[in-house]
Structures are given as C-alpha cells and as structure tokens.
Amino acid sequence: MGVSIVELVCRSEKRKNLVVYLKDGPRNLAAIKKALDVTSTGVLPQIKLLKDNDILVQKDDEYELSIFGNIVVQKILPIFKLTNTLEKNPEYWFSRDISALPMQFMERLGNLGDSKVIEPDINSLFDPPQELIDHLLVSRHVAAITSYFHPYYAKHFIGLAKKGVEINLIFTNDVYERIAEDYGEDAEVFFGMDNTNIYIHEGNLPVVSMVCADGFFLLSLLNQKGIYDHNKLISTSEEAIKWGHDLFEYCCIASQKKE
C-alpha cells in the first residue's frame, strides 16, 4: 500500500464522505450517488481505490465497509466530526476558552457540529434567545447548569416547575443564595418541590451556562479573554443534547444535592 490508510481516506473529500456514509450499512450505487450528490464517473474510481485497499467490499450490487474498514472509520470518525464542528463555526470556537471542560467532553466536541451561534445585538444583549424560550415552554424535562445569576432564568424556571415540568439545576452557591434572597417565598417553594432537583457546585463550573430541554441544547462559554460576551451555541441535534446531558451528570457528581 503506497500511502497510509488515514491518508488514503482523508486525502479525498469524496472518499471520506463515502466511508462515513457506509458506516451505517451497505448501499448500492444509486443510493450512494443520491446521498453524496456525486456522479458515477466521480465516485466509481474512489470505490475502486477503497476496494483495492480492502476498506470496502462489494456484495452483489451493494458496497459496504470491510471489517478492517469499520475499524478504521470508528477511529477516524471523531476527527472528521471535530473538523466539521470547527469549520462550521470557526470564529466562535477559536475565540472560546474551553480549558475548563473535562477532557472527555473536549474530545466529544465533534458532537456539537450541527449547531449555530447566536450573537445578540446591543438591544437584546441580556435577553435569552427566542429559540430557548420557545422550547422551554413546551418541554417536560429541563436540565441546566449556570454559574451566574440571570433574573429571566430564575423566574422562568420557577414558573415551569409550578406547571409540573421536571427541573434539574446545578448552581454555584452564590447563584443559589441570590435566588433565595431575591425571590423569597417563591424560591423556598421552588427549591422544595418534588419535581425540582437543585445541586450546589463548589468552585468553578466548566461552562458559563448550559441548558438541555426537550429537543434543544444551549451552551455558553467564556471567550479567551475570560469575558462572557453573551454569544451562545444552540442546537436541536440528538448528539448535542446527549453531550449536554452527559456534562450535567458529570457535574452532578461533584455537586451537593440540596435537600
């Protein structure tokens, strides 16, 4: 073999897209052409090259990854996904400070590729994104992490809990005390509800804020100057929502549940 397997797959965008597409199972030529928007002339030479290097096999009129091809794709897929994440929103990611994220979540940033960045204008700098409001209003389960006090979030979470929505929140102690002080009796009722679980995290949280609602994900990180510039990443993808729920569970381990 003249080049390494990684070079062989990654050197061509068509080959890369093809092996990633075939990771979900065998496909015939017509399906490949439609899914990847390629012609027979464009893709058949790539198929032949991958077959000659034992990455693809052909069975009747379908192509699929060989056992070896499956191993290769599972190893390099995270790199493809990470590259996609960074290339889709480069100005956001290369201006963020992700150093506080646990390593296992840095390694899974590729799961956030299907996301968009919300940059509020000066007139709505402190307003939550409309997409977040819309999803919270129809969600039955909400998990959130916040390291700063925002009056909208506090008021809205209290309102959602009173409507029977399951609320799971991780605060710093300062945020918890601020809500208790500013909302008095409402906060006391909120903290004591059966459908509300409050966790207090000592020390610094790895994100400014993170919200997972039904079918929705929001993430806020400091920029590299250590400043919260109100830019937010939002997504409706299952992978992003799973990333958020896993981060919430990770932070729960280092937090104390408020009884």
Side-chain angles (χ1 to χ4, degrees):
M1 191 177 300
V3 296
S4 72
I5 292 298
V6 173
E7 286 182 303
L8 178 67
V9 174
C10 297
R11 188 178 289 177
S12 163
E13 193 71 16
K14 290 179 180 177
R15 289 196 292 272
K16 182 180 77 171
N17 292 339
L18 178 58
V19 297
V20 171
Y21 176 58
L22 292 179
K23 72 178 176 58
D24 295 324
R27 298 289 189 271
N28 60 30
L29 182 60
I32 291 171
K33 289 164 55 179
K34 182 178 180 180
L36 303 184
D37 191 23
V38 293
T39 64
S40 297
T41 303
V43 76
L44 283 174
Q46 311 307 329
I47 290 175
K48 181 178 186 307
L49 187 57
L50 292 171
K51 285 173 59 180
D52 289 346
N53 285 276
D54 300 316
I55 296 173
L56 296 188
V57 294
Q58 182 175 359
K59 295 182 179 179
D60 297 324
D61 64 341
E62 291 189 322
Y63 302 96
E64 63 182 81
L65 295 173
S66 66
I67 295 175
F68 181 62
N70 267 300
I71 295 171
V72 171
V73 169
Q74 294 306 317
K75 292 296 182 182
I76 61 180
L77 186 58
I79 299 174
F80 293 163
K81 293 170 69 174
L82 176 59
T83 300
N84 179 61
T85 295
L86 299 179
E87 289 179 347
K88 187 169 184 179
N89 295 300
E91 292 184 1
Y92 178 81
W93 285 112
F94 291 117
S95 66
R96 296 303 98 183
D97 179 8
I98 64 169
S99 61
L101 286 175
M103 181 55 67
Q104 60 263 49
F105 292 93
M106 290 189 195
E107 293 174 347
R108 291 171 56 195
L109 285 179
N111 292 356
L112 307 184
D114 190 12
S115 304
K116 70 175 182 177
V117 177
I118 300 294
E119 299 182 26
D121 60 41
I122 193 66
N123 295 316
S124 59
L125 195 61
F126 298 100
D127 297 337
Q130 187 61 45
E131 292 94 330
L132 172 63
I133 297 172
D134 293 342
H135 279 86
L136 287 178
L137 289 174
V138 297
S139 293
R140 302 308 304 163
H141 306 274
V142 177
I145 301 170
T146 183
S147 58
Y148 75 106
F149 175 80
H150 193 302
Y152 169 81
Y153 290 124
K155 181 179 179 180
H156 204 70
F157 286 145
I158 290 172
L160 289 172
K162 288 181 177 180
K163 293 179 180 179
V165 177
E166 180 184 337
I167 306 290
N168 298 283
L169 303 175
I170 299 176
F171 297 136
T172 62
N173 194 58
D174 288 345
V175 173
Y176 174 82
E177 290 182 351
R178 176 71 184 276
I179 294 174
E181 178 181 345
D182 285 14
Y183 290 89
E185 185 176 336
D186 276 345
E188 186 175 346
V189 171
F190 172 63
F191 293 148
M193 296 177 73
D194 291 340
N195 57 314
T196 300
N197 296 297
I198 306 297
Y199 301 87
I200 307 302
H201 188 88
E202 297 295 338
N204 296 324
L205 285 162
V207 297
V208 174
S209 63
M210 188 279 300
V211 179
C212 285
D214 294 348
F216 184 79
F217 167 80
L218 177 146
L219 177 68
S220 297
L221 298 166
L222 295 176
N223 64 26
Q224 290 191 2
K225 296 180 180 179
I227 297 171
Y228 177 42
D229 56 16
H230 298 273
N231 289 346
K232 300 172 178 65
L233 194 78
I234 66 171
S235 179
T236 57
S237 81
E238 291 183 5
E239 284 193 327
I241 296 166
K242 177 68 164 56
W243 189 95
H245 278 298
D246 289 348
L247 180 62
F248 183 91
E249 294 299 327
Y250 177 93
C251 291
C252 268
I253 296 173
S255 304
Q256 182 69 38
K257 186 175 182 180
K258 202 72 177 177
E259 300 296 344

